């Protein structure tokens, strides 16, 4: 977004329902492969388990030890106690590419069991499961990389325990599969870790800010990390591609008697280009009682405790273009002042100062009451579903990543009392550093590691593929991924619980059909219990240089949570022009039950958002249409003048949105007319609340707000046209 000085799959898929045939088919499925099939190894699969170290949850008696299941003798067996569940586990000695499991059951077999893989004997992933095991000799095709392979029996066929003549694991060792990739390690040179005794903290922070203050399209990336403790006389000014965060489990573990400041002196008091930075997991005692955080898009303020007020405007109250707060407590007043729009989620505030066009709140204690359009407050008491962003912290001297639990109907911060979630040691992460290839990153995921991207820029010549459930891929310091050769940068499988967070994806010079894809085409699995989430995942086409992509992000998986994204086709910078950084679509949602909280999508050549899935929800949407349309013909959509910013497909029967705005600034041809900002079928289940469209300084005009509803914009006064409810 840049507030101008004037004003201060090609065919839509059929809806995929979970009932009927899909439920029947799901009931017949016996297994779920949690791993991408590996590239076939050059060596033939070998028996890897025989003679290896093996342990079990129990044994029936002294004559049925666990080792009998891997001794190669079909006359000896392991048998368990007569209870559920029971397990047997083999250590292969090193990571291997596992392709087949053979179970030779005695009469006491399992009807229900699962095969699980692990790289570290701690975190397990299901490679196969069934509830209708037939007994006898079962040969199972599986795929994945593991050192430890475990069979866990969950339902016995008889009154006895589980009994195996042989538990055989086939595959190839590292000579024919992925190389073993170590987890953990140092965080690289661009993660600066401070403790209260570190000398000259202010000088080092100032040095980084001097480099990054105006480096809007620069190549340096930094993360400033502060160990738990108290820091006095600090004013950490935060520039581009800089993240600042505390390393405690809670914000109050790391306290600044000072400020974390974003201002706009570099841009003459205009904060509308203060992008790509973040503050997380700190407590602040501001020096003058109020901390300044004057930002616009892609600048999250998460898990913060401000023991005072928060000013969201630059010094002098110049232009500012909206932002995002989540899981934060501001004891005093939040003053947005000149901010055009803002979204706050699952937080606690003392009070809120004012509103310009669109101030939206969900799950915020102390939020102003619902009052749109005057004042322009959209307030939901709770957030339907949310999961806070994973974060790095120190447990003693050990780095871990905390993954907060999913919340339903959340209100207020997640960190009162004992934080709910999972701690994952850094040793279970591949610490990715600049120069790493997609091949190595993908091998690490197959091996069972999570991903921690250190600050830097990563070129990939094949997609980063995350097909293992519950994988965390966390970026520090706006880690940036650039796809080469027209590939998709990131692909997530149709699996449970993947967490993508803190990543910027930059389009490459060769057109990519999609930059970020969540779920394959036709994805249909139910992830309602454990959804995939995208948090602070940003997409950029142009600006840092020439780039093209047909669509920025596609979400095919059901139940996905999109929590704060900015998908941006650049309107300024390098490589910018109507065809130079061509990108027709920002976001396409095909999955059902997808929720977007804090959706910022701007300047795409055609539709900014297309929504084909059922039961979608968006809480807060901010959009500008592409500035650089050369004429009316360039944006003509058949008989419709212009492409809607947010279009719900005609096939959709249920959809809901709250607090949504679209703006136009057609400065190349101010005569362009935009039929509407929003387009949706008129059906009882399709509902919108608190919509607005704005013509910035009269550079182009909207004829309606949604469909043919809502007054036209007119003149040069930049006054929004609003619709309180639709239909």
């Amino acid at each position: 977004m840049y507030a101008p000085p004037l004003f201060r799959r090609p065919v839509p898929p059929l809806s995929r329902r979970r009932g009927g045939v899909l439920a029947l088919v799901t009931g017949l499925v016996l297994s779920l492969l949690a791993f991408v099939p590996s590239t076939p190894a050059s060596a033939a699969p070998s028996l890897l388990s025989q003679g290896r170290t093996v342990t079990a949850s129990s044994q029936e008696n002294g004559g049925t030890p666990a080792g009998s299941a891997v001794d190669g003798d079909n006359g000896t067996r392991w048998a368990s106690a007569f209870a559920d569940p029971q397990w047997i586990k083999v250590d292969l000695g090193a990571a291997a590419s596992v392709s087949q499991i053979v179970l030779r059951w005695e009469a006491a077999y399992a009807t229900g069991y699962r095969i699980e893989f692990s790289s570290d004997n701690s975190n397990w992933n299901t490679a196969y499961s069934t509830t209708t095991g037939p007994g006898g000799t079962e040969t199972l095709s599986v795929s994945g990389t593991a050192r430890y392979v475990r069979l866990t029996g969950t339902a016995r066929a008889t009154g006895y325990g589980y009994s195996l003549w042989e538990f055989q694991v086939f595959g190839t060792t590292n000579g024919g599969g992925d190389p073993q990739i170590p987890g953990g390690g140092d965080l690289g040179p661009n993660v600066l870790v401070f403790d209260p005794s570190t000398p000259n903290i202010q000088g080092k922070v100032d040095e980084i800010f001097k480099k990054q203050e105006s480096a809007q399209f620069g190549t340096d990336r930094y993360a400033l990390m502060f160990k738990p403790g108290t820091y006095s006389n600090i004013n950490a000014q935060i520039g581009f591609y800089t993240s600042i965060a505390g390393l405690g489990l809670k914000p109050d573990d790391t306290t600044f008697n000072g400020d974390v400041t974003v201002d706009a002196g570099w841009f003459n008091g205009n904060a509308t280009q203060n992008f790509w930075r973040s503050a997380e997991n700190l407590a602040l005692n501001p020096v003058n009682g109020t901390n300044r955080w004057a930002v616009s898009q892609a600048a999250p303020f998460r898990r913060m405790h401000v023991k005072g007020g928060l000013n969201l405007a630059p010094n002098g109250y110049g232009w500012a273009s909206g932002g995002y707060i989540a899981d934060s407590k501001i004891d005093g007043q939040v003053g947005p002042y000149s901010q055009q729009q803002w979204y706050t989620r699952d937080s606690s505030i003392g009070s809120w100062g004012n509103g310009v066009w669109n101030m939206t709140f969900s799950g915020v204690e102390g939020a102003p009451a619902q009052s749109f359009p005057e004042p322009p407050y959209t307030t939901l008491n709770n957030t339907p579903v949310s999961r806070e962003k994973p974060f790095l912290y120190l447990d003693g001297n050990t780095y871990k990543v905390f993954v907060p639990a999913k919340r339903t109907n959340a209100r207020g911060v997640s960190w009162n009392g004992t934080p709910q979630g999972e701690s994952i040691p850094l040793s279970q992460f591949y610490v990715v550093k600049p120069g790493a290839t997609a091949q190595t990153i993908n091998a690490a995921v197959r091996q069972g590691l999570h991903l921690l991207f250190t600050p830097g820029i990563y070129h990939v010549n094949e997609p980063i593929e995350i097909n293992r459930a519950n994988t965390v891929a966390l970026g520090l310091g706006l880690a940036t991924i650039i796809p080469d050769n027209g590939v998709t940068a990131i692909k997530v499988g149709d699996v449970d619980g993947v967490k993508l967070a803190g990543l910027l994806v930059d389009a490459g010079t060769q057109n990519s059909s999609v930059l970020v894809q969540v779920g394959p085409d036709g994805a249909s699995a139910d992830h309602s219990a454990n959804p995939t989430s995208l948090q602070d995942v940003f997409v950029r086409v142009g600006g840092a240089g020439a780039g093209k992509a047909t669509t920025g992000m596609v979400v095919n998986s059901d139940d996905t949570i999109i929590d704060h994204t900015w998908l941006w086709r650049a309107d300024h910078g390098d490589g910018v022009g109507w065809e130079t950084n061509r990108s027709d679509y920002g976001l396409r949602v095909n999955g059902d039950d997808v929720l977007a909280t804090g959706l910022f999508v701007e300047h795409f050549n055609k539709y900014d958002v297309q929504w084909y899935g059922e039961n979608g929800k968006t809480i807060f949407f901010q959009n500008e249409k592409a500035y650089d349309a050369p004429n009316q013909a360039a944006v003509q959509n058949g008989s419709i003048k212009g492409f809607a910013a947010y279009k719900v497909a005609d096939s959709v029967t249920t959809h809901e949105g709250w607090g949504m705005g679209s703006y136009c600034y057609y400065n190349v041809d101010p005569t362009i007319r935009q039929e509407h900002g929003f387009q949706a079928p008129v059906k009882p289940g399709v509902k919108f609340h608190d919509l607005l469209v704005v013509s910035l300084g009269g550079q182009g005009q909207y004829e309606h707000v949604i469909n043919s509803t809502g007054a036209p914009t007119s003149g040069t006064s930049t006054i929004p046209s609003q619709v309180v409810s639709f239909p």
Side-chain angles (χ1 to χ4, degrees):
M1 171 112 183
Y2 170 63
L6 274 173
F7 146 69
R8 56 127 187 103
R9 315 157 253 220
V11 177
L14 294 175
S15 174
R16 292 166 292 105
R17 307 303 297 167
R18 291 189 179 152
V21 174
L22 178 58
L24 177 61
V25 173
T26 302
L28 297 174
V29 172
L30 300 181
S31 65
L32 172 64
L33 296 181
F35 296 85
V36 171
S38 304
T39 302
S42 57
S46 302
L47 177 59
L48 304 176
S49 53
Q50 190 162 311
R52 292 292 184 181
T53 300
V54 64
T55 53
S57 56
S58 66
Q59 62 185 58
E60 180 182 355
N61 55 55
T64 59
S68 294
V70 295
D71 62 3
D73 184 350
N74 284 324
T76 61
R77 66 187 176 94
W78 163 71
S80 77
F82 303 171
D84 293 314
Q86 300 291 331
W87 55 263
I88 183 170
K89 174 180 65 181
V90 61
D91 178 359
L92 303 179
S97 295
V98 180
S99 56
Q100 188 180 84
I101 305 289
V102 176
L103 306 175
R104 301 187 187 279
W105 293 102
E106 194 253 359
Y109 66 95
T111 56
Y113 66 88
R114 59 184 181 268
I115 302 294
E116 299 163 296
F117 289 174
S118 177
S119 62
D120 58 5
N121 200 25
S122 177
N123 288 272
W124 295 88
N125 295 283
T126 299
Y128 178 90
S129 66
T130 184
T131 57
T132 56
T137 298
E138 294 184 60
T139 301
L140 312 175
S141 294
V142 294
S143 181
T145 301
R147 173 173 172 172
Y148 303 91
V149 180
R150 182 171 71 185
L151 179 148
T152 298
T154 55
R156 292 167 289 142
T158 71
Y160 298 96
Y162 299 91
S163 182
L164 279 167
W165 297 112
E166 285 294 301
F167 176 31
Q168 296 178 315
V169 180
F170 292 85
T172 57
T173 55
N174 287 342
D178 293 328
Q180 181 73 3
I181 297 169
D186 69 89
L187 299 174
N190 286 1
V191 177
L192 285 72
V193 179
F194 303 93
D195 65 47
S197 66
T198 302
N200 194 26
I201 295 174
Q202 186 67 56
K204 191 61 181 177
V205 170
D206 288 346
E207 178 186 334
I208 299 300
F209 177 65
K210 185 177 179 180
K211 293 176 64 176
Q212 300 302 109
E213 180 182 11
S214 59
Q216 183 172 178
F217 299 110
T219 57
D220 288 338
R221 306 284 188 272
Y222 294 97
L224 311 178
M225 314 294 287
F226 288 79
K227 293 182 180 181
T230 300
Y231 300 78
S232 296
N233 303 314
I234 294 289
N235 180 19
Q237 298 185 82
I238 305 301
F240 286 99
Y241 312 110
T242 305
S243 297
I244 187 169
L247 286 169
L249 186 58
K250 295 183 177 183
D252 289 338
D253 294 340
T254 309
T255 298
F256 279 17
N257 291 319
D259 298 79
V260 172
T261 301
V262 177
D263 207 341
W266 75 278
F267 200 45
N268 299 316
N270 180 345
T272 60
Q273 292 185 25
N274 280 351
F275 312 140
W276 304 305
R277 64 199 75 198
S278 66
E280 301 182 47
N281 206 30
L282 291 164
L284 308 178
N285 286 304
V287 169
N288 68 356
T290 299
N291 189 77
R292 187 185 302 278
W293 186 256
V295 298
S296 289
Q297 288 75 37
F301 196 81
R302 289 185 180 269
R303 205 178 182 87
M304 297 287 287
H305 185 188
V306 181
K307 299 177 180 181
L310 185 64
N311 185 341
L312 303 179
N315 187 29
Y317 304 99
W319 301 308
S321 177
Y324 173 93
I325 294 171
D327 201 25
S328 294
K329 187 175 190 296
I330 294 91
D331 294 347
Q333 184 178 78
V334 180
Y337 301 106
S338 55
Q339 285 286 355
Q340 297 158 357
Q341 68 281 312
W342 197 277
Y343 176 53
T344 308
R345 178 182 63 73
D346 297 356
S347 294
S348 175
I349 62 175
S351 61
W352 189 269
N354 69 288
V356 178
W357 294 336
N358 178 19
M359 304 284 129
T360 300
F361 310 83
S362 67
V364 178
E365 297 170 342
Q370 168 72 33
S371 58
F372 190 92
E374 187 55 46
Y377 298 147
T378 299
T379 302
L380 286 73
N381 194 55
N382 304 90
T383 304
V385 180
S386 57
R387 178 197 281 137
E388 300 307 331
K389 180 183 175 183
F391 60 92
L392 187 70
Y393 79 104
L394 276 170
D395 183 0
N397 293 318
T398 301
Y399 282 107
K400 296 182 178 180
V401 171
F402 189 76
V403 183
K406 185 188 80 168
R407 304 171 76 195
T408 302
N409 292 322
R411 181 172 174 83
V413 301
S414 70
W415 40 270
N416 279 338
T418 302
Q420 300 299 301
E422 176 189 14
S423 288
I424 306 174
L426 190 64
S427 61
Q428 295 172 24
F429 282 77
Y430 172 41
V431 180
V432 193
K433 295 175 182 174
T437 64
Q439 291 84 354
T440 302
I441 294 168
N442 289 337
V445 175
R446 289 194 296 268
Q447 184 178 303
L449 294 174
H450 303 276
L451 302 174
L452 182 72
F453 290 85
T454 62
I457 296 176
Y458 300 84
H459 283 264
V460 295
N461 60 4
E462 65 181 57
I464 294 171
E465 298 201 58
I466 301 175
N467 293 282
R468 193 184 77 247
N470 300 310
T471 299
V472 177
L474 174 62
L476 303 178
L478 280 294
T480 302
I481 300 169
I482 303 175
D484 296 326
N485 306 319
V487 302
T488 295
I490 301 172
K491 288 185 175 181
V492 178
D494 195 18
V495 296
D496 275 359
V498 173
K499 293 93 180 172
L500 293 184
L503 296 168
L504 169 61
V505 176
D506 237 338
T509 55
Q510 185 172 332
N511 187 75
S512 294
S513 59
V514 180
L515 291 174
V516 177
Q517 180 176 309
V518 181
D521 292 345
S524 59
D526 184 345
H527 305 295
S528 55
N530 185 13
T532 283
S533 54
L534 290 80
Q535 296 171 302
D536 306 340
V537 175
F538 309 127
V539 165
R540 181 171 66 189
V541 184
K548 290 187 177 183
T550 304
T551 305
M553 181 184 290
V554 173
V555 175
N556 293 316
S557 288
D558 293 345
D559 308 294
T560 301
I561 300 171
I562 308 169
D563 179 44
H564 189 223
T565 190
W566 186 37
L567 313 180
W568 185 62
R569 175 182 166 268
D571 61 283
H572 63 274
D574 293 332
V576 171
W578 184 248
E579 297 294 343
T580 306
N581 62 327
R582 181 89 195 185
S583 191
D584 284 348
Y585 311 108
L587 171 67
R588 180 183 176 113
V589 177
N590 296 320
D592 293 341
D593 300 291
V594 172
L595 170 66
T597 51
L599 183 58
F600 299 73
V601 189
E602 298 191 297
H603 304 157
F604 289 85
N605 294 76
K606 293 185 178 178
Y607 292 115
D608 296 280
V609 173
Q610 298 171 288
W611 208 295
Y612 291 96
E614 285 290 349
N615 199 33
K617 293 182 175 67
T618 294
I619 304 174
F620 183 86
F621 172 66
Q622 187 264 318
N623 165 264
E624 279 185 343
K625 295 303 298 174
Y627 291 176
D628 55 344
N631 49 51
Q632 187 74 50
V635 296
Q636 192 69 15
N637 182 16
S639 61
I640 299 173
K641 299 173 184 176
F643 291 82
Y646 189 105
K647 175 180 169 58
V648 179
D650 292 344
S651 60
V652 170
T653 60
T654 55
H655 189 91
E656 197 158 8
W658 296 263
M660 307 174 74
S662 176
Y663 323 139
C664 73
Y665 181 69
Y666 290 117
N667 62 323
V668 176
D669 182 358
T671 67
I672 291 175
R673 307 290 294 186
Q674 180 78 26
E675 185 92 4
H676 40 230
F678 302 87
Q679 184 179 355
V682 181
K683 298 177 181 178
V686 178
K687 303 173 184 177
F688 287 92
H689 315 273
D690 304 354
L691 304 177
L692 65 101
V693 295
V694 179
S695 168
L696 303 181
Q699 305 293 294
Q701 300 289 346
Y702 291 90
E703 296 188 347
H704 304 284
V705 179
I706 180 168
N707 295 358
S708 57
T709 299
T713 58
S714 61
T716 60
S717 55
T718 314
I719 295 175
S721 178
Q722 299 150 325
V723 168
V724 174
S725 64
F726 177 88

